[in-house]
Amino acid sequence: MFCVAPSELETKMNVTKGGLVLFSANSNSSCMELSKKIAERLGVEMGKVQVYQEPNRETRVQIQESVRGKDVFIIQTVSKDVNTTVMELLIMVYACKTSCAKSITGVIPYFPYSKQCKMRKRGSIVSKLLASMMCKAGLTHLITMDLHQKEIQGFFNIPVDNLRASPFLLQYIQEEIPDYRNAVIVAKSPASAKRAQSFAERLRLGIAVIHGEAQDAESDLVDGRHSPPMVRNAAAIHPSLEIPLLIPKEKPPITVVGDVGGRIAIIVDDIIDDVDSFLAAAETLKERGAYKIFVMATHGLLSSDAPRLIEESAIDEVVVTNTIPHEIQKLQCPKIKTVDISMILSEAIRRIHNGESMSYLFRNIGLDD
């Protein structure tokens, strides 16, 4: 298991060399909670900055203290207005660059547009565009957590530290689910099987995989490999060539590979946004005999009617981290629980600022984690 021992980290907190400035790039007060927790753990004051929207919706940033020759860390959590969030970050990074900051590190626990990291027909790879914009604005280092696809790190030409929230979620399972030894880790689709396997092996539990669910938006059928459409045009194909057509996929009837009868089912994933697939998985698990159902993920976007749907569903508890603020959703749905990950972000900031190795935060993490 690769849980980070709290005592080891806490003894190192508040030990930072001079020249560190910590900013929150968000104009939304509800998004500043994580920044305050990180500052408290580091034993520093939040930097003075004013971020606000003009009447015409333009974003304005005013740095209100000197950052010349200092290591600047900009914490940005994603609000519902994602595009405003992105502009706030870019403008603040550029403001620090033009104010002669020594280094500018973005602390972005949830990287926005991370789902748009593949070519889909005539679309674009938006996360690559966003990475280029951040680097061009002046970002010199990025700290993030559980990227939707680890390959997104390759979109940057600066160092990227992709931290993991799984030690904190594993700790929650062990401490808050009394009979977790009678649990089974569930992947709601074959695409989530590697993550589920990682959890199961560390907790010494069994694994189950749900197969045959409705086609989701990230299937191969909607990516760029089917663009342009395959049209059999005799004039466009050389007479001597007969290019074989790929047989279209067809989902089988929904099945659960693995035994969940009389067990606690723990569904694991990286993002909970549109909850329809989680609700369908919960119903299937209930039908197969699971008596309690937990859903665990790093990023709880919980968009639109997600809290109400969760409250009315067969799911007993949804556990997410505070990479994204969701206090309003928690008021709407008591089933939503939060795990604090400010400790590992604080330690990452401290190590980067002091020039220490980051390998301690990646102990026992394999390529598939």
Side-chain angles (χ1 to χ4, degrees):
M1 192 162 304
F2 56 102
C3 291
V4 179
S7 58
E8 292 182 56
L9 290 186
E10 287 172 356
T11 56
K12 296 179 180 179
M13 293 301 170
N14 305 335
V15 185
T16 56
K17 299 176 183 177
L20 181 149
V21 181
L22 199 65
F23 288 128
S24 175
N26 212 303
S27 59
N28 189 338
S29 59
S30 65
C31 296
M32 295 183 65
E33 190 64 31
L34 180 61
S35 303
K36 292 176 182 177
K37 288 183 178 180
I38 292 173
E40 184 178 343
R41 287 185 179 276
L42 288 170
V44 299
E45 296 289 333
M46 291 297 302
K48 297 181 178 64
V49 62
Q50 192 174 14
V51 184
Y52 60 94
Q53 306 296 317
E54 298 277 14
N56 63 355
R57 300 298 297 163
E58 287 185 359
T59 299
R60 185 174 291 274
V61 173
Q62 291 183 343
I63 309 292
Q64 297 179 322
E65 64 179 86
S66 175
V67 296
R68 182 179 294 272
K70 295 183 180 179
D71 292 331
V72 176
F73 293 83
I74 300 174
I75 303 168
Q76 181 66 310
T77 50
V78 177
S79 64
K80 285 190 175 182
D81 190 352
V82 179
N83 295 329
T84 298
T85 298
V86 170
M87 285 306 300
E88 288 172 347
L89 175 65
L90 293 174
I91 295 172
M92 182 171 287
V93 169
Y94 189 65
C96 292
K97 177 184 177 182
T98 55
S99 298
C100 301
K102 177 183 175 183
S103 66
I104 307 167
T105 302
V107 184
I108 312 171
Y110 171 69
F111 189 74
Y113 287 98
S114 59
K115 285 188 174 183
Q116 298 189 48
C117 60
K118 296 180 182 179
M119 179 65 75
R120 304 196 184 285
K121 292 193 176 179
R122 295 171 185 83
S124 60
I125 306 176
V126 183
S127 53
K128 165 63 176 172
L129 171 64
L130 186 55
S132 300
M133 291 167 66
M134 289 181 179
C135 295
K136 188 67 175 177
L139 207 64
T140 60
H141 200 133
L142 176 68
I143 301 172
T144 187
M145 181 165 280
D146 282 337
L147 286 169
H148 187 54
Q149 297 289 340
K150 291 190 285 292
E151 292 77 8
I152 292 175
Q153 295 175 83
F155 295 163
F156 291 85
N157 55 13
I158 58 174
V160 177
D161 288 309
N162 182 28
L163 303 176
R164 306 296 196 275
S166 38
F168 299 91
L169 296 176
L170 290 166
Q171 187 178 46
Y172 184 93
I173 292 172
Q174 293 173 312
E175 295 179 356
E176 302 297 331
I177 305 178
D179 45 352
Y180 81 93
R181 289 293 180 189
N182 188 37
V184 59
I185 306 298
V186 179
K188 69 178 178 65
S189 69
S192 306
K194 282 187 178 180
R195 179 179 294 270
Q197 181 183 357
S198 175
F199 273 66
E201 289 177 351
R202 287 182 164 84
L203 293 169
R204 314 296 191 264
L205 300 176
I207 184 174
V209 180
I210 299 175
H211 182 50
E213 77 278 14
Q215 186 73 52
D216 64 35
E218 297 211 46
S219 70
D220 288 341
L221 290 178
V222 295
D223 72 13
R225 285 172 283 185
H226 288 263
S227 178
M230 294 178 291
V231 178
R232 299 181 69 85
N233 186 342
I237 300 176
H238 193 277
S240 64
L241 295 177
E242 267 303 319
I243 300 174
L245 294 176
L246 189 65
I247 299 172
K249 291 181 180 180
E250 184 176 336
K251 288 284 185 179
I254 193 163
T255 56
V256 178
V257 182
D259 181 23
V260 297
R263 302 280 193 91
I264 299 172
I266 304 176
I267 305 171
V268 297
D269 213 332
D270 63 327
I271 298 172
I272 302 179
D273 189 5
D274 180 10
V275 297
D276 289 345
S277 59
F278 291 95
L279 303 184
E283 289 296 332
T284 301
L285 294 170
K286 277 289 185 184
E287 292 171 4
R288 300 300 195 278
Y291 72 91
K292 264 189 181 180
I293 299 172
F294 292 79
V295 176
M296 309 198 79
T298 303
H299 309 296
L301 274 68
L302 302 168
S303 302
S304 60
D305 289 335
R308 178 183 61 81
L309 294 172
I310 292 170
E311 186 65 25
E312 297 171 356
S313 73
I315 297 172
D316 293 282
E317 194 168 287
V318 173
V319 182
V320 292
T321 72
N322 57 344
T323 57
I324 297 173
H326 48 262
E327 294 304 317
I328 296 175
Q329 289 91 330
K330 287 176 70 175
L331 293 175
Q332 297 171 341
C333 178
K335 291 182 179 180
I336 300 172
K337 309 296 180 184
T338 306
V339 174
D340 180 28
I341 45 80
S342 62
M343 179 189 295
I344 193 169
L345 294 175
S346 303
E347 179 64 5
I349 291 171
R350 189 194 67 81
R351 285 175 175 271
I352 290 171
H353 174 59
N354 291 345
E356 299 176 19
S357 171
M358 293 287 286
S359 60
Y360 176 81
L361 303 180
F362 293 95
R363 294 176 306 165
N364 300 326
I365 294 178
L367 291 175
D368 294 331
D369 290 321

